[in-house]
Amino acid sequence: MGSSDEKVVAVIMVGGPTKGTRFRPLSLNIPKPLFPLAGQPMVHHPISACKKIPNLAQIYLVGFYEEREFALYVSSISNELKVPVRYLREDKPHGSAGCLYNFRDIIMEDSPSQIFLLNCDVCCSFPLPEMLEAHRKYGGMGTILVSKFGELVADPVTNEVLHYTERPETFVSDRINCGVYVFTPDIFAAIQDVSRHRKDSANLRRVSSFEALQSATKSLPSDFVRLDQDILTPLAGKKQLYTYETMDFWEQIKTPGMSLKCSGLYLHQFSFTSPHLLASGDGTKSATIVGDVYIHPSAKIHPSSKIGPNVSISANARVGAGARLINCIVLDDVEIKENAVVIHSIVGWKSSIGKWSRVQAEGEYNAKLGITILGESVTVEDEVVVIKSIVLPNKTLNVSVQEEIIL
């Protein structure tokens, strides 16, 4: 059991340019963690959740992006939330646990008793204070946030993790690792043990040049330590690893389709946690709003348009008379002209959709062409229909297309 004044830090893993390839063409313009979901950058949601952790001393973002790509956001979010946020850039891949160890001296500067570790590309309600309370009661080294169906088996009474398998090919249990953890600083010793063991094994293999050749492709660098395989799996069943189950929503944000789904999940969460962020209107003096909708204050929406449900409209966007928007993300500086329709789509920065045009899909979030995506500065001319297609930046469409990827 920890005392109430013990300090806590949070580490959010944001990945890097090579990690966001499945997020193209949207990640061509902006680091994936800064892509807006429900009007806020993806990483904003876990950061704002961390703000609710008692005695939070610092939030660290760890990734491969250039520091300049995060400098402005880190500065603004630190001022907004009144919590120190710092970006730490990895010089080379160290693995999900190795990156934690690589920055251990910085992370431990505030002498925290608990360390949260979160993946940036997970979408959930982040019940972090409740998870921390449970973690302290368990008295183990780590606690994993879990949801239904997955890869780990836990004791139904104590919630101890008894068996852990990353990405099982057969059914193992009904609980899945949500990519949110809290550890004691003992995690650093566990990572160091793996690293030392790997280094010792590498030295032993040098006995025979033939053996070294055989194992060269199999062995990992000693400072590359994976959280799932190298740390969590060995800890299972040793009264060191426990679970905290969330009954709320949980998704991974690996693709643009899932970002649209998760934007809707966050918008719905706002209706309970931050209703002031959601738009309202009945079509008299402002647009008719249906369901959960976010509209940036600088956006200009015609009163005769109808917006929602699950729509997020970013800065300086313009929506014309009679336009209809359903389940879509509209990014900065987009113009949607009179009587245009946008359904199950993401409309990229500075794009334009002409009068009486339709941009739509079927909303199958995991399908390759389940949503329509317009990259930056795409022009859809008047009376053109774009269905279940992906259009890369700087293209002009003057004919209708269906189920196409336009390079």
Side-chain angles (χ1 to χ4, degrees):
M1 295 285 287
S3 65
S4 59
D5 59 351
E6 289 179 338
K7 289 182 180 176
V8 181
V9 298
V11 178
I12 302 175
M13 295 187 288
V14 298
T18 58
K19 297 286 187 182
T21 53
R22 281 192 282 173
F23 212 69
R24 291 174 183 166
L26 302 173
S27 57
L28 295 173
N29 297 80
I30 190 173
K32 177 183 168 183
L34 298 182
F35 182 80
L37 306 179
Q40 305 286 354
M42 184 185 298
V43 72
H44 179 95
H45 299 282
I47 288 177
S48 59
C50 288
K51 164 78 173 171
K52 298 173 184 174
I53 300 171
N55 301 308
L56 180 72
Q58 181 91 34
I59 298 172
Y60 299 99
L61 308 182
V62 177
F64 297 101
Y65 293 100
E66 295 289 340
E67 289 188 40
R68 59 181 169 76
E69 296 191 80
F70 275 84
L72 189 62
Y73 175 71
V74 165
S75 173
S76 66
I77 195 66
S78 297
N79 291 331
E80 179 187 334
L81 297 183
K82 303 295 185 287
V83 172
V85 180
R86 182 175 174 185
Y87 180 71
L88 304 175
R89 185 174 185 264
E90 288 195 84
D91 56 346
K92 64 175 185 177
H94 292 93
S96 46
C99 75
L100 201 64
Y101 189 75
N102 183 48
F103 294 112
R104 63 194 180 281
D105 292 339
I106 296 174
I107 292 169
M108 291 304 295
E109 279 178 357
D110 292 295
S111 302
S113 62
Q114 312 293 343
I115 302 160
F116 272 93
L117 181 64
L118 303 89
N119 284 302
C120 169
D121 60 355
V122 299
C123 167
C124 67
S125 59
F126 298 105
L128 305 184
E130 297 87 348
M131 185 178 172
L132 178 61
E133 186 180 350
H135 169 69
R136 284 175 166 151
K137 287 178 181 175
Y138 296 150
M141 184 190 299
T143 299
I144 308 171
L145 184 68
V146 298
S147 185
K148 288 294 183 184
F149 182 78
E151 64 246 343
L152 52 85
V153 178
D155 186 296
V157 178
T158 66
N159 289 321
E160 183 196 353
V161 176
L162 304 175
H163 176 73
Y164 187 97
T165 308
E166 191 198 24
R167 299 187 185 95
E169 295 181 2
T170 58
F171 179 80
V172 174
S173 80
D174 65 351
R175 296 182 184 184
I176 190 168
N177 177 354
C178 290
V180 178
Y181 316 85
V182 58
F183 296 107
T184 66
D186 293 338
I187 188 68
F188 292 120
I191 299 169
Q192 188 179 33
D193 287 346
V194 171
S195 183
R196 188 185 294 123
H197 176 73
R198 194 168 283 159
K199 194 178 293 183
D200 292 344
S201 298
N203 290 335
L204 285 171
R205 281 197 294 268
R206 292 196 185 102
V207 173
S208 160
S209 58
F210 175 75
E211 287 178 6
L213 188 65
Q214 290 288 93
S215 63
T217 57
K218 299 177 186 175
S219 60
L220 292 166
S222 60
D223 61 351
F224 188 92
V225 183
R226 302 159 300 183
L227 186 64
D228 290 303
Q229 300 99 315
D230 300 326
I231 303 298
L232 301 184
T233 299
L235 283 177
K238 296 180 180 175
K239 300 196 182 304
Q240 288 296 316
L241 198 58
Y242 294 83
T243 65
Y244 181 80
E245 186 171 344
T246 175
M247 308 306 287
D248 290 336
F249 60 94
W250 177 84
E251 295 287 353
Q252 280 188 297
I253 316 167
K254 297 297 185 187
T255 63
M258 288 308 299
S259 75
L260 181 54
K261 179 178 183 178
C262 292
S263 184
L265 291 171
Y266 281 136
L267 285 170
H268 185 60
Q269 186 185 28
F270 285 170
S271 66
F272 300 99
T273 62
S274 309
H276 63 281
L277 293 176
L278 297 177
S280 60
D282 60 5
T284 51
K285 293 183 179 179
S286 59
T288 300
I289 302 298
V290 181
D292 302 318
V293 172
Y294 169 83
I295 299 175
H296 191 275
S298 65
K300 298 205 167 20
I301 314 296
H302 196 277
S304 66
S305 62
K306 190 173 183 180
I307 315 292
N310 182 21
V311 173
S312 173
I313 301 176
S314 295
N316 301 311
R318 301 175 302 287
V319 178
R324 181 71 175 105
L325 278 61
I326 302 171
N327 192 33
C328 59
I329 295 174
V330 176
L331 297 172
D332 294 356
D333 303 304
V334 164
E335 182 176 15
I336 299 172
K337 296 182 180 178
E338 297 96 292
N339 301 303
V341 175
V342 182
I343 304 174
H344 303 312
S345 300
I346 297 176
V347 184
W349 307 265
K350 303 173 187 170
S351 290
S352 172
I353 299 175
K355 299 174 184 178
W356 296 101
S357 291
R358 296 180 71 91
V359 174
Q360 64 184 72
E362 294 178 359
E364 298 172 356
Y365 300 112
N366 286 310
K368 186 175 183 180
L369 296 176
I371 69 167
T372 288
I373 303 167
L374 305 185
E376 182 183 29
S377 299
V378 169
T379 299
V380 178
E381 295 193 347
D382 295 350
E383 300 181 25
V384 169
V385 179
V386 183
I387 299 175
K388 297 173 68 174
S389 296
I390 297 174
V391 185
L392 266 64
N394 304 304
K395 298 290 183 292
T396 296
L397 301 182
N398 52 20
V399 294
S400 297
V401 295
Q402 181 169 351
E403 295 187 25
E404 289 192 35
I405 298 175
I406 300 172
L407 304 175

